[in-house]
Amino acid sequence: MILGADHEKMSKSLGNVVNPDDIVKQYGVDALRLYEMFLGPLEQSKPWNTNGITGVHGFLKKLWRLFYPTVQGDASTMLSVTDGEPTKAELKTLHKTIKKIAEDIERFSFNTSISNFMICVNELTDAKCNKRAILEPLLICLSPYAPHITEELWKQLGHNESISTTPFPIHNEEYLVDDNVNYPVSFNGKVKFTLELAATLTPQEVEAIVRANEQTIKFLDGKEPKKVIVVPKKIVNMVV
């Protein structure tokens, strides 16, 4: 149940009723849908806060700018989506999002879905991504949540069929594997620095690289560690 801003059940007598038509007129129906889901877990009652909808509205505008980055006034000028090859980082962002959204849908955890979409769009914006191979699957994932803007962008991309008839994408675990791992290097349990190393290295190789590092040599100060503990892809601890 959506409560009034005063945490009371909406009623005319309390004067805390929000007219959804007014919200739709100002922000659009997709923003209203997304914000209602973003308020919190589905099974909980949530207080309405009109001020909070601006963040969701801003997310939709940022999504639009992935497709129409050049804006003059209130109008976007030209669709800017290419058939270029996605980078590893872009593929990781997309497939991480697909996996999380699919899991959220199974749990009816729609509020966390909206958070994941926001993270995804922020990462793609920072990467200046305009690749069709990334943006089309993102639209399909978002379409059950924001059907109007995704349907419009889907048509702008040249599709004749409705986005609602398109199969939901399946994530590929290969794109989620990190090439490198940041290893915190600690001495007697206290982290002193981190090293970025290849994820494929064996514990023995990791130990050898850490031992040869100039920061390790400085902290050891000529002492031989009594024990070196390497937790693969987690941490290196030297007991001095």
Side-chain angles (χ1 to χ4, degrees), residues 3 48 78 95 102 145 183 197:
L3 305 174
W48 177 265
M78 186 173 64
H95 286 265
Y145 299 83
Y183 276 93
L197 303 175

Side-chain angles (χ1 to χ4, degrees), residues 1 4 11 21 23 45 48 59 69 93 99 111 118 128 153 190 198 220 227 236:
M1 179 180 292
S11 69
D21 292 339
I23 303 297
S45 297
W48 177 265
F59 156 71
T93 293
K99 181 179 182 179
N111 57 313
M118 289 178 174
K128 294 181 172 57
L153 288 170
K190 296 182 179 180
L220 288 176
K227 189 176 183 181
V236 177

Side-chain angles (χ1 to χ4, degrees), residues 151-171:
E151 189 73 57
E152 175 63 25
L153 288 170
W154 189 250
K155 293 294 176 64
Q156 294 292 329
L157 290 172
H159 297 281
N160 295 319
E161 76 286 358
S162 171
I163 194 172
S164 63
T165 65
T166 307
F168 197 86
I170 299 173
H171 80 276

Side-chain angles (χ1 to χ4, degrees), residues 13-237:
S13 62
L14 292 175
N16 61 356
V17 173
V18 176
N19 188 337
D21 292 339
D22 296 336
I23 303 297
V24 170
K25 184 177 180 180
Q26 184 174 0
Y27 298 103
V29 68
D30 280 338
L32 174 61
R33 286 169 58 94
L34 289 177
Y35 185 59
E36 285 187 321
M37 288 183 275
F38 189 51
L39 279 172
L42 187 65
E43 68 278 5
Q44 294 181 9
S45 297
K46 286 88 63 175
W48 177 265
N49 181 359
T50 302
N51 294 330
I53 201 171
T54 56
V56 175
H57 187 232
F59 156 71
L60 290 175
K61 290 193 288 186
K62 183 174 284 190
L63 171 75
W64 186 269
R65 286 195 293 271
L66 288 175
F67 298 81
Y68 289 92
T70 304
V71 178
Q72 294 179 349
D74 293 330
S76 301
T77 57
M78 186 173 64
L79 182 70
S80 180
V81 176
T82 71
D83 293 321
E85 193 70 24
T87 65
K88 287 185 177 180
E90 291 167 345
L91 287 167
K92 183 178 180 181
T93 293
L94 171 65
H95 286 265
K96 174 181 64 176
T97 303
I98 294 172
K99 181 179 182 179
K100 288 182 177 180
I101 299 305
E103 293 171 349
D104 288 342
I105 290 174
E106 291 293 330
R107 297 194 304 265
F108 296 99
S109 183
F110 303 130
N111 57 313
T112 56
S113 289
I114 309 306
S115 297
N116 287 324
F117 281 126
M118 289 178 174
I119 293 170
C120 177
V121 169
N122 284 338
E123 290 181 1
L124 294 180
T125 299
D126 291 342
K128 294 181 172 57
C129 177
N130 63 346
K131 316 287 177 51
R132 181 182 294 268
I134 300 295
L135 298 182
E136 284 194 351
L138 173 60
L139 284 182
I140 297 169
C141 289
L142 182 59
S143 60
Y145 299 83
H148 301 85
I149 189 173
T150 52
E151 189 73 57
E152 175 63 25
L153 288 170
W154 189 250
K155 293 294 176 64
Q156 294 292 329
L157 290 172
H159 297 281
N160 295 319
E161 76 286 358
S162 171
I163 194 172
S164 63
T165 65
T166 307
F168 197 86
I170 299 173
H171 80 276
N172 188 335
E173 285 288 344
E174 291 182 7
Y175 296 128
L176 304 182
V177 177
D178 290 322
D179 293 332
N180 295 317
V181 176
N182 284 320
Y183 276 93
V185 180
S186 63
F187 296 81
N188 295 332
K190 296 182 179 180
V191 177
K192 297 298 183 180
F193 61 92
T194 61
L195 281 180
E196 184 176 346
L197 303 175
T200 55
L201 292 175
T202 65
Q204 293 76 19
E205 291 170 330
V206 170
E207 179 180 343
I209 293 172
V210 171
R211 279 177 173 273
N213 184 270
E214 60 182 15
Q215 294 184 81
T216 302
I217 296 172
K218 173 185 174 183
F219 283 112
L220 288 176
D221 193 25
K223 299 176 183 177
E224 177 65 21
K226 299 175 184 176
K227 189 176 183 181
V228 179
I229 302 169
V230 179
V231 181
K233 300 182 182 179
K234 294 289 185 180
I235 194 171
V236 177
N237 183 41

